[in-house]
């Protein structure tokens, strides 16, 4: 006997399994109360994601004032390099002709975008507002907002070629990915 004959004799009394007809499940229809609750929950979630920048009491700065801030733990050499404009600027934001509210939203979103794209050093041009009734309004607010953002390690007014007292460099925390890459790069094996 061949292998084929053995197989056919072994499978002689086998019958196909009867497949029951499948039931089509309908999506449950949602009543208006459930839809309303879901909508309220989604709106509450969006409200909790609104930027945390508070508009407390803002100190009005001189238009030519130098902005400077450094969180504890930022090395002096790193801060000096930032202040001297030695880091590559990977992103820029211009706040000219924006209202305070628009500028606040733009700054918050800009920082979020920088962090999501692993940008370490950025430049924000805020202007000095000289010749206006209230000069340096956005500059004053920016100096108030930036320290509130946890990921901002330091900032300083820029060098003249980047806008001088009308712009500032911002140093952001490294992402976990960049931190690991840096550790591997400098680790001795």
């Amino acid at each position: 006997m061949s292998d084929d004959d053995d197989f056919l004799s072994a499978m002689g009394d086998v019958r196909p399994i009867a497949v029951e007809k499948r039931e089509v499940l309908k999506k449950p229809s949602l009543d208006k109360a459930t839809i309303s609750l879901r909508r309220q929950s989604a709106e509450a979630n969006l409200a909790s994601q609104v930027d945390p920048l508070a508009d407390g009491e803002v100190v009005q700065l001189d238009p030519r004032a130098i902005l400077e801030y450094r969180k504890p733990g930022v090395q002096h050499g790193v801060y000096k390099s930032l202040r001297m404009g030695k880091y590559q600027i990977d992103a820029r934001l211009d706040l000219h002709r924006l209202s305070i509210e628009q500028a606040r939203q733009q700054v918050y979103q800009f920082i979020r975008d920088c962090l999501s794209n692993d940008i370490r050093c950025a430049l924000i041009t805020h202007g000095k507002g000289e010749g206006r009734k209230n000069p340096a309004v956005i500059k004053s607010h920016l100096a108030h907002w930036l320290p509130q953002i946890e990921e901002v390690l330091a900032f300083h007014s820029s060098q003249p070629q980047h806008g001088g007292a009308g712009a500032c460099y911002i140093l952001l925390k490294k992402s976990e990915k960049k931190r690991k890459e840096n550790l591997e790069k400098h680790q001795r094996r």
Side-chain angles (χ1 to χ4, degrees):
M1 271 181 129
S2 72
D3 288 337
D4 289 338
D5 293 333
D6 289 339
F7 177 76
L8 289 175
S9 66
M11 302 303 282
D13 61 345
V14 175
R15 302 274 181 255
I17 297 175
V19 179
E20 293 181 22
K21 201 172 187 178
R22 289 187 175 193
E23 290 289 324
V24 178
L25 299 177
K26 295 180 182 176
K27 291 184 178 178
S29 61
L30 299 175
D31 61 349
K32 290 184 178 183
T34 305
I35 292 172
S36 176
L37 285 173
R38 284 187 174 183
R39 181 171 289 127
Q40 288 173 357
S41 174
E43 288 171 355
N45 192 15
L46 280 176
S48 69
Q49 293 177 0
V50 174
D51 63 88
L53 302 180
D55 264 344
E57 192 171 323
V58 177
V59 177
Q60 188 64 36
L61 299 175
D62 182 76
R64 296 176 192 249
I66 300 297
L67 299 181
E68 51 186 352
Y69 171 79
R70 175 173 78 166
K71 282 193 176 174
V74 175
Q75 296 174 345
H76 177 71
V78 170
Y79 184 66
K80 183 178 179 183
S81 293
L82 176 72
R83 186 179 48 147
M84 300 303 293
K86 292 186 178 181
Y87 288 118
Q88 177 181 334
I89 298 169
D90 295 321
R92 296 171 188 259
L93 175 66
D94 189 352
L95 300 177
H96 283 101
R97 296 178 191 84
L98 296 181
S99 69
I100 299 301
E101 182 60 26
Q102 289 171 329
R104 184 181 61 76
Q105 292 171 357
Q106 289 283 327
V107 167
Y108 183 76
Q109 188 58 49
F110 178 69
I111 298 295
R112 294 285 146 238
D113 292 344
C114 287
L115 293 169
S116 65
N117 291 304
D118 289 330
I119 291 175
R120 186 83 196 281
C121 184
L123 178 74
I124 295 181
T125 306
H126 46 74
K128 295 182 236 172
E130 290 180 316
R132 295 182 180 245
K133 182 180 176 184
N134 295 324
V137 174
I138 291 182
K139 179 178 187 170
S140 301
H141 280 80
L142 187 66
H144 178 73
W145 295 330
L146 289 177
Q148 295 178 41
I149 301 173
E150 182 182 338
E151 293 84 5
V152 174
L153 296 177
F155 61 87
H156 196 281
S157 290
S158 66
Q159 293 294 311
Q161 68 268 24
H162 293 130
C168 71
Y169 303 121
I170 299 173
L171 183 67
L172 301 169
K173 278 185 179 178
K174 285 182 188 174
S175 67
E176 194 60 36
K177 177 184 166 189
K178 287 285 187 184
R179 193 170 296 156
K180 286 179 182 177
E181 285 176 9
N182 198 31
L183 181 66
E184 288 177 10
K185 180 180 174 183
H186 296 292
Q187 190 176 33
R188 293 185 179 156
R189 296 180 187 218

